Amino acid sequence: MRKGLVSTLFVFCFCPHLARADTPFPANCSVPVPDISGWETVQTSRVEFRISDYAVAYLGLDVEYAEYRNPDDPREFARVVSRHIPIIPARPAIKDRQLFRETATALYTQMVERNRLNELDEKTDPILFVRWRTKEDSRTGKDMKDGDVDIWFLRPSGECLTARNERVGVQFMTENVGNGKPRNVFVGVKYQVGDIYHILKVDRRDLVQLMGEGGK
Amino acid sequence: MTGYRFLAAVVSVSVFMGGCAGKGINIDPGNPVYKPKSEFELNYGFFITRDERKIFDEIVMLEEFGKFEKHFWEIRDTDPNTPENEFKELIDGRLQDIKNEIFGTDFDIPGTRFDINGGLKGDLARVYLLWGAPDPGNKERLPEGTYHTELMVWYYFDATGRPLFRFLFYQSFEGRMRLFRDHLPLLSWDYLFDPLSSPLRVISNRPAITSSEELANVWYELERDDPQWIFRSALFEFSPYTDWVMEGGNNKNRFGALDPPEPASLTAEKFKPTILGQPNIPEGTELFESGYHSFLPAYLRTSASPDNPTFLMLTILRKNLDWVKQENEAKPYATNLNIRISFQNKKTRKLTEFVSYFRFELSQAEFDKRDDKGELFGVSVISPLTLQYFDGEKLGPTLGEMMKQLEPGEYVVNIYLQHTITKKYNPWREEIVISH
């Protein structure tokens, strides 16, 4: 695998089936998560990173909702990060130099991936819920944050953490796969609120298997 | 065209016409399927694979043809993610190009026409339909000389810039540009000037070559007219890649450039992606899942030192585990978890990995009380220090023993807890100091 090809991506998709906002959150939060049923999806991206030319790891979904119930005040927003079983679709390399075969195979792979991801989208666990409001800055005319930012976060233990105006850290994680050599690859994403973190990560054995298949 | 050529043309056209009698769509022209089937054959005949041909030739009803045509295009759609069939659009575009005689005003090969070269069933159309137009500058014509016939080459390059194919066309005696197929297997003067086997016979404008001298005349004229070996390269080699032939590939390790292309969906099936990380739940498994879809919550305790038995202790609420029903009266429920713990020395970067597996089993009473908040019934505890290394094949030392071998220092510890079949998981990353 070429190091230079390792990159992180957030690919935006607009999936109609995600345009629902009935995502559950652990019921044990001291402050209940706001009911966002009926909210509409502003945008959806996947939590993913590229492992090689032939493989991308998908870890979860990052969904931003906006409230449209009150047309006079569409200023309340919520962001939900959810996780699913991490998968790594790996496309085999075609070595017959027929570009159209490679292209067609890539597109069919895309379909298989999309179908599998659509299935996973139905089976996600929310781990982070952030709510905020905006108001118009009278000087610039642009939107600015208005008031507190409320956070609900799923601890690794399954308990709920609630916080207000804390920074939500997002950090890509690497691990060494060089067997003694300094070769690190992306393995996951770490979300952090205060000292508490929640990691989304691929199974290292899948990664090692992928690396073993010709260093793709 | 020379006098020889005209005579030969008359003879060959007669033979051609005679040979064609009774061929084509072998059904009654009054049959409603005759016209669409004939048109399909004319336009897309080069794309019908051998297996499809057997079916196509047997079609005598319009309904059968409709089904065949629908399936034919469905499996060729190069992008199943869109409602359009990109492959059909591509080929129909090329058909339109042929009808529009796009090479008539082409900068590289002006005056080249499909209609006088066999139309949709000619060699030019066949290459064009299968491969499209070569990029500008990659096709050239060489006018007829004293000894050689008119020639034309179409070069196709791969992504590395190396020629993938060199299609060489020559003007045959019936006046039509035909594809040169008699490539010399090796560059040998003996073969080149052998009147029986030389490829130069095909591109000579004499109807019969009987001597090496005549072949030498063709060659020397080519040397003069083709100093850059553009045409002569195509005479010797169709493709520098040994897995490419002009026709007669097997779609596995030998590919025929003029063979009907393998439908995209069949290629994709052969090269289908591997999706790593998928749950692996055996059929018939009776599974009692936790409320989570991907999460396996657990409390991790990292306090104290490796000598402390509670170091890296994991506590899991049983209600948060997926349980599988098993054939065991005393313990009818089981869950299997993989655990991987790696230690990376922050200074030396040395990685030490520990993997193991463990299994919890519950009686019916324990299972029924798995939601209890009480410590005794609702909780399962893992103490990895006492677990033995097991990677699925070989056993090794316990984690405690392994950790005693670690050099003192600061370590990044990665822990990955995963249900073996549902793949629900929980990772941690902690930093610890080991000082024996």
Side-chain angles (χ1 to χ4, degrees):
Chain A
M1 186 184 68
R2 279 177 285 166
K3 262 186 180 175
L5 291 170
V6 177
S7 61
T8 57
L9 298 171
F10 278 99
V11 177
F12 293 95
C13 70
F14 296 91
C15 313
H17 64 278
L18 292 171
R20 58 189 167 73
D22 53 354
T23 316
F25 209 79
N28 55 1
C29 295
S30 56
V31 180
V33 175
D35 180 10
I36 55 170
S37 304
W39 290 30
E40 288 180 18
T41 305
V42 175
Q43 63 181 31
T44 304
S45 60
R46 292 202 180 279
V47 182
E48 66 175 69
F49 54 88
R50 181 162 289 283
I51 293 172
S52 74
D53 276 0
Y54 301 99
V56 176
Y58 295 98
L59 301 167
L61 282 173
D62 192 336
V63 186
E64 197 168 37
Y65 293 103
E67 182 175 350
Y68 286 107
R69 277 181 296 182
N70 181 356
D72 298 328
D73 184 19
R75 296 248 174 227
E76 187 177 12
F77 292 88
R79 181 183 175 200
V80 180
V81 176
S82 304
R83 52 179 273 168
H84 54 62
I85 299 282
I87 60 161
I88 309 175
R91 177 165 56 92
I94 302 176
K95 292 174 179 161
D96 62 17
R97 295 170 289 277
Q98 292 187 79
L99 191 60
F100 77 91
R101 280 165 66 105
E102 287 190 34
T103 307
T105 305
L107 293 166
Y108 273 85
T109 299
Q110 197 180 313
M111 181 183 70
V112 172
E113 276 181 28
R114 193 191 56 212
N115 291 345
R116 178 65 187 128
L117 288 167
N118 285 346
E119 288 171 15
L120 287 174
D121 291 346
E122 299 293 325
K123 293 181 177 176
T124 58
D125 299 315
I127 63 161
L128 174 67
F129 191 109
V130 184
R131 182 184 61 179
W132 70 97
R133 297 183 62 83
T134 61
K135 65 179 179 185
E136 190 179 302
D137 186 326
S138 54
R139 284 185 300 129
T140 62
K142 292 182 178 173
D143 283 354
M144 59 182 285
K145 191 167 72 69
D146 179 23
D148 293 326
V149 176
D150 296 315
I151 298 161
W152 291 260
F153 191 48
L154 184 63
R155 293 169 183 260
S157 62
E159 291 175 337
C160 178
L161 169 77
T162 52
R164 176 164 284 177
N165 299 326
E166 286 260 17
R167 178 177 171 272
V168 178
V170 183
Q171 182 190 350
F172 279 90
M173 299 173 72
T174 60
E175 258 187 47
N176 183 284
V177 291
N179 197 20
K181 293 174 187 167
R183 185 183 178 193
N184 283 16
V185 296
F186 285 106
V187 291
V189 183
K190 183 181 183 182
Y191 293 87
Q192 187 150 4
V193 178
D195 293 336
I196 307 299
Y197 65 77
H198 192 119
I199 294 173
L200 312 185
K201 191 174 168 187
V202 295
D203 183 351
R204 184 183 169 89
R205 279 171 305 184
D206 292 337
L207 206 59
V208 170
Q209 185 185 335
L210 193 73
M211 299 292 165
E213 288 171 1
K216 289 183 261 180
Chain B
M1 191 186 291
T2 63
Y4 297 124
R5 197 160 278 257
F6 176 72
L7 179 63
V10 171
V11 171
S12 63
V13 166
S14 307
V15 169
F16 176 75
M17 295 303 286
C20 284
K23 282 204 172 186
I25 305 302
N26 193 21
I27 49 177
D28 178 1
N31 188 321
V33 79
Y34 180 83
K35 190 168 180 285
K37 196 176 164 185
S38 303
E39 284 176 359
F40 192 88
E41 170 63 47
L42 179 67
N43 291 329
Y44 309 118
F46 291 132
F47 295 91
I48 301 173
T49 63
R50 191 183 302 168
D51 289 342
E52 288 170 332
R53 175 64 66 186
K54 291 175 196 162
I55 300 164
F56 183 76
D57 287 348
E58 296 297 319
I59 291 173
V60 291
M61 291 170 69
L62 202 53
E63 191 186 355
E64 289 175 315
F65 174 74
K67 281 183 191 166
F68 175 89
E69 187 182 28
K70 184 171 180 286
H71 183 252
F72 181 89
W73 290 119
E74 269 175 4
I75 60 173
R76 283 168 171 77
D77 187 359
T78 41
D79 188 355
N81 305 293
T82 62
E84 297 81 26
N85 188 319
E86 285 78 6
F87 186 76
K88 187 171 189 307
E89 287 177 1
L90 177 78
I91 302 309
D92 285 344
R94 288 177 184 169
L95 283 166
Q96 195 57 48
D97 289 343
I98 291 170
K99 283 172 191 160
N100 293 343
E101 296 292 355
I102 57 155
F103 290 147
T105 53
D106 186 82
F107 188 76
D108 295 327
I109 49 172
T112 303
R113 295 185 65 86
F114 290 98
D115 57 359
I116 59 171
N117 289 302
L120 286 173
K121 286 296 174 191
D123 286 344
L124 287 186
R126 184 174 185 181
V127 175
Y128 188 81
L129 283 170
L130 289 167
W131 292 99
D135 288 336
N138 292 343
K139 48 193 179 314
E140 193 170 324
R141 284 178 84 148
L142 183 64
E144 184 177 8
T146 310
Y147 300 103
H148 67 74
T149 184
E150 183 182 352
L151 301 173
M152 176 165 65
V153 282
W154 292 5
Y155 272 59
Y156 294 84
F157 293 86
D158 66 14
T160 65
R162 196 178 182 202
L164 183 56
F165 314 128
R166 303 178 185 98
F167 289 104
L168 175 67
F169 301 94
Y170 65 95
Q171 192 175 48
S172 63
F173 285 107
E174 76 268 24
R176 182 197 289 192
M177 294 301 277
R178 285 197 178 276
L179 199 54
F180 177 79
R181 296 163 192 269
D182 300 338
H183 298 88
L184 200 62
L186 60 142
L187 183 53
S188 151
W189 298 116
D190 290 342
Y191 281 120
L192 191 62
F193 298 128
D194 180 350
L196 292 175
S197 59
S198 172
L200 297 172
R201 294 176 313 143
V202 179
I203 61 165
S204 162
N205 58 12
R206 310 295 159 113
I209 294 267
T210 55
S211 70
S212 298
E213 287 72 26
E214 288 175 288
L215 292 169
N217 286 335
V218 177
W219 179 253
Y220 294 136
E221 190 175 54
L222 269 182
E223 275 191 332
R224 187 195 67 202
D225 296 345
D226 180 30
Q228 293 178 301
W229 280 79
I230 293 168
F231 294 86
R232 283 183 291 167
S233 296
L235 200 63
F236 294 113
E237 187 180 70
F238 170 63
S239 173
Y241 293 106
T242 52
D243 52 350
W244 273 105
V245 291
M246 190 177 278
E247 280 176 287
N250 59 13
N251 262 332
K252 287 175 190 155
N253 54 11
R254 198 174 68 247
F255 303 96
L258 296 181
D259 292 346
E262 184 177 62
S265 67
L266 301 186
T267 306
E269 182 59 28
K270 276 202 299 201
F271 295 95
K272 63 183 172 187
T274 312
I275 299 185
L276 300 172
Q278 304 242 61
N280 179 27
I281 303 168
E283 204 172 318
T285 302
E286 201 177 341
L287 188 66
F288 299 86
E289 291 195 70
S290 71
Y292 293 101
H293 296 294
S294 70
F295 187 38
L296 177 51
Y299 296 87
L300 174 71
R301 182 170 177 177
T302 58
S303 58
S305 72
D307 291 328
N308 188 325
T310 62
F311 176 67
L312 287 183
M313 192 175 78
L314 287 157
T315 306
I316 309 169
L317 301 181
R318 287 174 178 169
K319 66 176 182 178
N320 289 332
L321 285 167
D322 295 335
W323 296 94
V324 173
K325 191 83 184 281
Q326 63 176 2
E327 292 294 323
N328 180 331
E329 252 184 61
K331 299 279 186 183
Y333 300 94
T335 192
N336 299 308
L337 303 176
N338 289 321
I339 188 163
R340 174 188 167 270
I341 304 173
S342 72
F343 298 86
Q344 184 160 33
N345 188 303
K346 287 180 79 173
K347 191 174 172 188
T348 64
R349 319 298 288 173
K350 189 182 173 192
L351 192 73
T352 305
E353 290 188 85
F354 174 84
V355 288
S356 194
Y357 156 92
F358 53 90
R359 176 182 181 87
F360 294 120
E361 291 182 318
L362 297 184
S363 66
Q364 186 65 51
E366 289 169 326
F367 181 76
D368 292 341
K369 291 183 177 178
R370 68 189 188 284
D371 284 352
D372 278 10
K373 292 189 171 51
E375 288 289 314
L376 287 176
F377 291 108
V379 169
S380 290
V381 175
I382 306 165
S383 296
L385 278 186
T386 57
L387 283 176
Q388 206 172 0
Y389 179 99
F390 180 60
D391 63 3
E393 288 179 1
K394 62 177 190 293
L395 286 165
T398 64
L399 179 63
E401 289 165 343
M402 190 182 267
M403 286 186 68
K404 283 178 184 160
Q405 305 300 317
L406 294 175
E407 287 177 46
E410 290 180 60
Y411 284 83
V412 174
V413 185
N414 282 298
I415 303 164
Y416 199 86
L417 183 70
Q418 183 191 50
H419 193 279
T420 54
I421 62 169
T422 62
K423 305 288 185 187
K424 294 175 189 177
Y425 74 104
N426 200 347
W428 292 265
R429 174 171 288 189
E430 298 289 329
E431 297 201 2
I432 63 166
V433 177
I434 291 181
S435 51
H436 297 301

